[in-house]
Amino acid sequence: MYANAETAAPVTVPELRERKRRGEKIVAITCYDAGFARCVDEAGVDFVLVGDSLGMVVQGQSSTLPVTVDDVVYHTRLVARGLRRPLLVADLPFMSYRNAELALANSARLLAEGGAAMVKLEGAGWVCDVIDSLKRHEVPVCAHLGLTPQSVHMFGGYRVQGRGESAAARLKADALAVQEAGADALVLECVPAPLAADITRELRIPTIGIGAGVDCDGQVLVLYDLLGIATGKRPRFVKDFLQGRDSIAAAIAAYADEVRRGAFPTPAHSY
Ligand code: KIV
């Protein structure tokens, strides 16, 4: 059962780690406008991401790469107007955090103009220096590893990451590195479920999975996927929660309920 959005306390950055400690699942979803933001707030969602997936599902682009900081600021501002309780997280788009100075300037816009409480960025390696700088300037950070869509051309497509011993060891080392750099949470996308479970056990910070199995500390889905209105081939990890239900509110509430009970994702939605 989720808390009533009218009375429940807002979800904060420290609360995410508390959730992990208490073994309570984090329900996350992407959102891009105020109307849907009201729906996800009322459904008791904890973590709302204005993802650069907006490039694909809202703008109709073939990847997330054309999304700009202006786009994310605009959509974050819209979503902020519809939210009361969930933590609002905004994506730093492609090339917007290629050095620490740029990352700071663009994160300041997402927090100050957009109203986000946390930024998300993809990768490890040199990105750890950026995370460290953001944290030293009091910007909460969600890292993102596994299938990082901004690297689609390097991967040669949208493929599962961390398969095989050496790739798994690299991914685990990256997860520890982003935590040490100061990340407050970690999205794991399209990662074999046993590897995501292992990383989740090792980290102090919560993991939020998408195509990463049920043992992550939370789950995230793209809103349009969850409602069955995304176009193109449906990835294995997606479930259409609107099927068999008569409203968007019921679909989002069912998603939140299944995540909290550990009923979603099933092995059929995992790698
Ligand atoms: O951009 C996005 O929506 C994301 C989620 C899929 C995690 O990064």
Side-chain angles (χ1 to χ4, degrees):
M1 185 62 195
Y2 56 84
N4 183 319
E6 303 250 339
T7 52
V11 180
T12 61
V13 175
E15 168 70 8
L16 293 182
R17 211 179 280 203
E18 274 301 299
R19 287 286 181 92
K20 179 175 177 113
R21 201 185 54 73
R22 296 197 299 261
E24 290 173 20
K25 295 280 186 191
I26 297 164
V27 180
I29 203 165
T30 72
C31 192
Y32 316 99
D33 67 34
F36 278 114
R38 276 190 286 276
C39 289
V40 304
D41 188 299
E42 279 161 21
V45 168
D46 304 307
F47 180 114
V48 172
L49 171 67
V50 182
D52 59 2
S53 52
L54 74 88
M56 297 172 83
V57 298
V58 177
Q59 297 174 340
Q61 318 256 23
S62 60
S63 78
T64 61
L65 304 192
V67 174
T68 65
V69 175
D70 281 345
D71 292 336
V72 182
V73 168
Y74 171 76
H75 285 279
T76 305
R77 207 185 298 134
L78 303 190
V79 171
R81 287 185 196 136
L83 291 189
R84 287 167 299 177
R85 180 180 162 275
L87 187 76
L88 179 54
V89 184
D91 249 342
L92 281 163
F94 182 58
M95 286 295 155
S96 70
Y97 51 96
R98 62 184 179 270
N99 60 54
E101 204 176 326
L102 202 54
L104 277 177
N106 288 325
S107 299
R109 291 197 59 202
L110 297 179
L111 269 59
E113 294 175 43
M118 176 182 264
V119 301
K120 181 170 81 58
L121 42 58
E122 299 181 4
W126 61 270
V127 176
C128 290
D129 293 337
V130 174
I131 295 173
D132 174 64
S133 163
L134 289 169
K135 288 308 298 291
R136 279 187 289 104
H137 291 84
E138 312 297 340
V139 178
V141 176
C142 180
H144 183 161
L145 295 173
L147 170 52
T148 45
Q150 292 173 17
S151 306
V152 60
H153 296 308
M154 296 301 292
F155 293 145
Y158 296 100
R159 304 180 200 291
V160 178
Q161 301 296 310
R163 277 192 165 140
E165 236 173 81
S166 65
R170 259 198 319 276
L171 207 120
K172 191 169 168 184
D174 284 349
L176 288 164
V178 296
Q179 172 177 270
E180 289 322 304
D184 299 282
L186 169 62
V187 167
L188 286 173
E189 179 164 355
C190 290
V191 170
L195 174 60
D198 183 27
I199 291 172
T200 299
R201 269 192 306 273
E202 288 287 317
L203 294 188
R204 298 182 302 275
I205 59 172
T207 59
I208 300 178
I210 173 165
V214 73
D215 292 320
C216 292
D217 298 304
Q219 299 292 329
V220 60
L221 275 184
V222 169
L223 177 64
Y224 285 38
D225 285 338
L226 181 159
L227 297 176
I229 53 174
T231 53
K233 184 169 174 276
R234 182 192 292 179
R236 176 190 176 107
F237 59 81
V238 166
K239 177 172 172 180
D240 175 357
F241 282 90
L242 194 51
Q243 219 167 52
R245 298 191 176 86
D246 59 7
S247 72
I248 287 170
I252 299 172
Y255 164 68
D257 176 58
E258 289 194 18
V259 170
R260 286 200 207 293
R261 289 190 291 109
F264 176 79
T266 66
H269 298 109
S270 308
Y271 299 99

